[in-house]
Amino acid sequence: MDKTDPDYAPLDPVAARQRMVDAQIRPAQVSNPAVIAAMRAVPREDAVPPALRAFAYADQNLPLGEGRYLTEPRVTGRMLQVADIQPGERILVVGAGTGYLAALLSAMGQGLAVTALESESRLADLGQVLCHQQAPDVQWRNGPLIKGDEADGPYDLILVDGAVRQVPPALVAQLAKGGRVVAPICPVGGVTSVCLVLPTAQGGAVQRLFDAAVPLLPELEPAPAFVF
């Protein structure tokens, strides 16, 4: 918006945050009090580039660069709801980006141990600044997303913040007994759905939970197969 426009008004982040929760999150079947409280508290505007701060609370995915996006608030809230997070769980956020999802988990309290894994150093730097201010207990790791993070595992819950064609086997292998993965999965030619993945002897059983327009994580998109 043009700042010379007489109708221009700078973003009031506190008011915008409350409107986001009341107009986007609660109507999307999100009723967990800890999720709602966290989304009312964590400043989403600090997780986007300065040029996008005015859109921080819009119901849309926001570009972060490097082909990465901050997932729209409604989907983030529903993912936290369906993850059924329990006190004291160890949680890994894969594709932590600028740290918003990791900060939300920390703000939920309940003695959660949260590790944020990111491979893009620029995004990780921004995420660590956000978490230093809002969630200093989050542990940050830099490395390939496809490999997960064994150092802080095994995990009760792994959240993938971005769509994948399939959940990498290394992530499923890093689950504790009774653990689960929640991730948006987009099969080739299909519809993206947030899914629950449970480990099995064959690798992982996938249960679709709800459809969501979540962009693919470029790093986890398989390379095109060579065709003779």
Side-chain angles (χ1 to χ4, degrees):
M1 180 179 288
D2 184 356
K3 293 185 179 182
T4 64
D5 189 317
D7 294 327
Y8 172 80
L11 174 72
D12 178 349
V14 175
R17 202 173 304 137
Q18 309 318 308
R19 287 195 299 271
M20 176 191 73
V21 172
D22 294 333
Q24 301 175 36
I25 308 305
R26 294 174 65 93
Q29 304 173 31
V30 178
S31 58
N32 185 316
V35 174
I36 291 171
M39 298 194 80
R40 289 195 189 279
V42 175
R44 184 175 163 87
E45 70 274 11
D46 289 348
V48 298
L52 294 178
R53 286 175 66 92
F55 304 97
Y57 295 98
D59 195 13
Q60 63 188 71
N61 303 305
L62 295 177
L64 300 174
E66 286 84 35
R68 300 286 294 281
Y69 290 82
L70 180 65
T71 303
E72 66 177 283
R74 177 183 59 84
V75 174
T76 297
R78 290 194 71 183
M79 284 183 65
L80 291 172
Q81 174 83 21
V82 301
D84 191 26
I85 297 165
Q86 301 299 312
E89 289 194 314
R90 302 187 67 83
I91 302 174
L92 175 65
V93 180
V94 175
T98 53
Y100 182 64
L101 181 55
L104 288 174
L105 287 162
S106 176
M108 289 174 63
Q110 306 180 71
L112 302 177
V114 182
T115 298
L117 174 65
E118 181 50 59
S119 57
E120 294 285 353
S121 59
R122 183 184 66 83
L123 299 182
D125 288 345
L126 295 172
Q128 289 180 73
V129 171
L130 172 62
C131 286
H132 177 73
Q133 297 171 345
Q134 302 292 329
D137 55 334
V138 172
Q139 300 296 313
W140 277 83
R141 300 287 182 261
N142 182 266
L145 306 185
I146 197 169
K147 294 184 177 181
D149 176 65
E150 291 183 320
D152 293 321
Y155 301 97
D156 302 294
L157 169 64
I158 296 176
L159 284 165
V160 182
D161 198 4
V164 296
R165 295 298 185 193
Q166 62 182 20
V167 174
L171 300 186
V172 179
Q174 289 171 19
L175 291 172
K177 183 178 181 180
R180 69 272 185 214
V181 177
V182 174
I185 297 178
C186 179
V188 176
V191 175
T192 303
S193 300
V194 172
C195 299
L196 175 68
V197 181
L198 302 175
T200 67
Q202 291 73 38
V206 178
Q207 176 186 352
R208 291 177 58 183
L209 302 176
F210 64 91
D211 293 343
V214 179
L216 284 164
L217 284 169
E219 184 180 334
L220 295 185
E221 187 170 4
F226 182 76
V227 178
F228 290 96

